[in-house]
Structure formats: C-alpha cells, structure tokens
Amino acid sequence: MTPNTEFLSQSMYNIDNTTEAPKASGPIPAGITENVQLVAVYFEALRQDGSGGNVLKFNFEDSAGRKFRHTEFEVEVDRVRQNAAQWGKDPEAQVRNALTGLAGRIKHILSCFLPKDKVVITGNTWDEFGGNVVSILGQAFKGVDVRVKLILNNKDYTMFPKQAFRPFVQRMDTPNTLVVDAKWERIEPKAAAGTTSSGLDALLEDTTPEAAAPAASEPAPWDDATTAPLPTTANDSSNADDLIF
C-alpha cells in the first residue's frame, strides 16, 4: 500500500494574518483593571444544569482574556426579613436597602453604555425585571472599553462593591476616578496580607449569618451605625461556572 504523502506538499507549520496569540485564562484580579469589555449579559438559571433560579449575569473580559462575572440575585424578601430579625434590625428597612442596592448596582453598570436618563426599568416580578434589563441594554455594550474595580470578599473571591456609593465600572473614554478605599475595600488575599477575620470581612461577607454577630467597629460610609451587612447580591467566583462564558 502506497503511503499518502499529499500533506507533505502543504505547509505543516504556518503563521498568517488569521493567526492569533492565545489569550490568558483565569479571572481578572482584584484591583483596578483597564481595557475591559462587557461581552455578554444574560438572564438565566444560575447553574448550567438549570438549577439555582434565574439570575442576571454580566460577563466581563479584559484585553488579555481574563474573565469576571458579576451576578445579581433576586431579593428574597422573606429571607431578608428573617435575617433582619436575627440581627435585631428593621425588616422593612433591610428589604428597602436590598432592593435599592440591587437597583443602584445595575443602573451604575448600564449607565456606562446607555444615557443615564434612559436606564428606567420596572418589573412586577423578578423574571419580568431581569428580562427588561437585558432588553433595554440590548447590544449597546458591544465594543465599549471600560475600567473596573474589583475587591475581595471574605473568601478572597473577586466581586464588585455591594454599593454603587463610589464608581466601580467606568468608560475608558472618561477620566479615571476609580479608587480602592483601603479602609473598607481589600484587594490583597488574606494570606498575602497576613490578615485575619475582622470587621472589614463582615462587610464583605457573602454568607448569611445564622445568628447575631458583632457589628464592624465602625460603619462603612454608605451605612449608618445600626445597619447590618447586606445580604448576598454579588459575584462569588468560587463557582466554577463563573468563568465559563
């Protein structure tokens, strides 16, 4: 049998104008990163197997190919009220805080891509609201470079700040005013910084407390002295699905 040598007439090794260098893998690190793009927005099940309820997913990628996903969850009113009771706080005030925080973060992100006065979104249910967020944004984010500020939560996973008190995402064609507040925001892992659990961790903690716990020694600038940490609302990169876009 005569061997097939036809492929030898072609170039086995080739670099042309279509060849691209491989991009980096892994997450965007904590801190301020420039030349990032929002590459997709979905309102879909939390997990790939369809479980976990519907959430809003904002998928970001930097110029090196590193990724970050910000996830917004439905405000579970009954759960928020129960947690408020555990903390000895006003349940209705905590519900308002949770809803206001969610609305503020979403408007802050969308306002990078749409005129702020056009970011007006309502919904009688979480599913209706989430669908409307995706619809109103459309493809307005395509090709827009932004800078982002990511901080670390209590488990050393990256997240956006829970409140849009200070900007955490900003267009690259505007002056850079992103600042990491070392008093309230951590960007170095605990092991590297040699730190232990503290009041700052309480503000960044993603888990819901099972019982009343000591408050931070001093309230964050967006809180009053009697407000407990807000419930989980942001990205938790401990989920392997978070980096599968």
Side-chain angles (χ1 to χ4, degrees):
M1 181 176 179
T2 305
N4 182 2
T5 59
E6 181 179 351
F7 73 94
L8 293 177
S9 63
Q10 303 173 0
S11 297
M12 293 179 60
Y13 306 98
N14 185 44
I15 298 176
D16 59 24
N17 292 334
T18 66
T19 305
E20 295 184 1
K23 289 190 174 182
S25 60
I28 298 176
I32 297 171
T33 302
E34 297 197 331
N35 298 312
V36 176
Q37 288 194 1
L38 178 60
V39 296
V41 180
Y42 300 107
F43 184 69
E44 62 182 17
L46 174 63
R47 301 184 184 89
Q48 289 186 319
D49 63 6
S51 64
N54 288 333
V55 298
L56 274 166
K57 300 176 182 178
F58 297 85
N59 293 345
F60 292 86
E61 185 173 320
D62 71 6
S63 57
R66 298 175 298 183
K67 298 176 173 63
F68 169 72
R69 170 176 289 162
H70 174 71
T71 306
E72 289 287 353
F73 297 83
E74 179 179 8
V75 174
E76 299 179 22
V77 174
D78 290 341
R79 183 183 177 190
V80 173
R81 286 174 176 151
Q82 292 172 3
N83 294 340
Q86 290 180 345
W87 283 94
K89 306 302 177 184
D90 180 348
E92 299 312 311
Q94 290 298 93
V95 170
R96 287 195 300 272
N97 287 347
L99 291 170
T100 300
L102 178 144
R105 288 187 301 274
I106 293 175
K107 180 156 189 172
H108 177 55
I109 294 171
L110 267 58
S111 294
C112 280
F113 312 105
L114 298 170
K116 190 171 294 187
D117 62 353
K118 300 298 183 183
V119 186
V120 179
I121 308 169
T122 59
N124 293 320
T125 65
W126 172 242
D127 283 356
E128 182 181 348
F129 176 78
N132 288 342
V133 169
V134 175
S135 295
I136 194 172
L137 180 59
Q139 299 295 305
F141 57 87
K142 291 293 187 180
V144 178
D145 290 327
V146 299
R147 60 180 68 90
V148 299
K149 178 179 79 172
L150 302 182
I151 61 176
L152 297 175
N153 67 10
N154 190 40
K155 300 176 184 177
D156 279 348
Y157 298 121
T158 52
M159 60 179 280
F160 279 146
K162 289 187 176 182
Q163 299 283 351
F165 179 78
R166 296 189 181 93
F168 52 77
V169 57
Q170 196 174 64
R171 293 178 67 106
M172 286 294 294
D173 57 8
T174 62
N176 184 0
T177 60
L178 299 187
V179 176
V180 175
D181 186 343
K183 185 174 183 179
W184 302 109
E185 300 171 333
R186 185 167 57 85
I187 61 173
E188 287 198 24
K190 293 178 187 177
T195 59
T196 57
S197 183
S198 66
L200 175 58
D201 288 339
L203 290 170
L204 301 178
E205 180 59 79
D206 279 345
T207 57
T208 300
E210 296 181 357
S217 58
E218 185 180 352
W222 51 82
D223 295 326
D224 61 44
T226 61
T227 301
L230 294 176
T232 300
T233 51
N235 181 69
D236 182 348
S237 295
S238 60
N239 187 337
D241 288 349
D242 282 339
L243 293 180
I244 302 175
F245 288 4

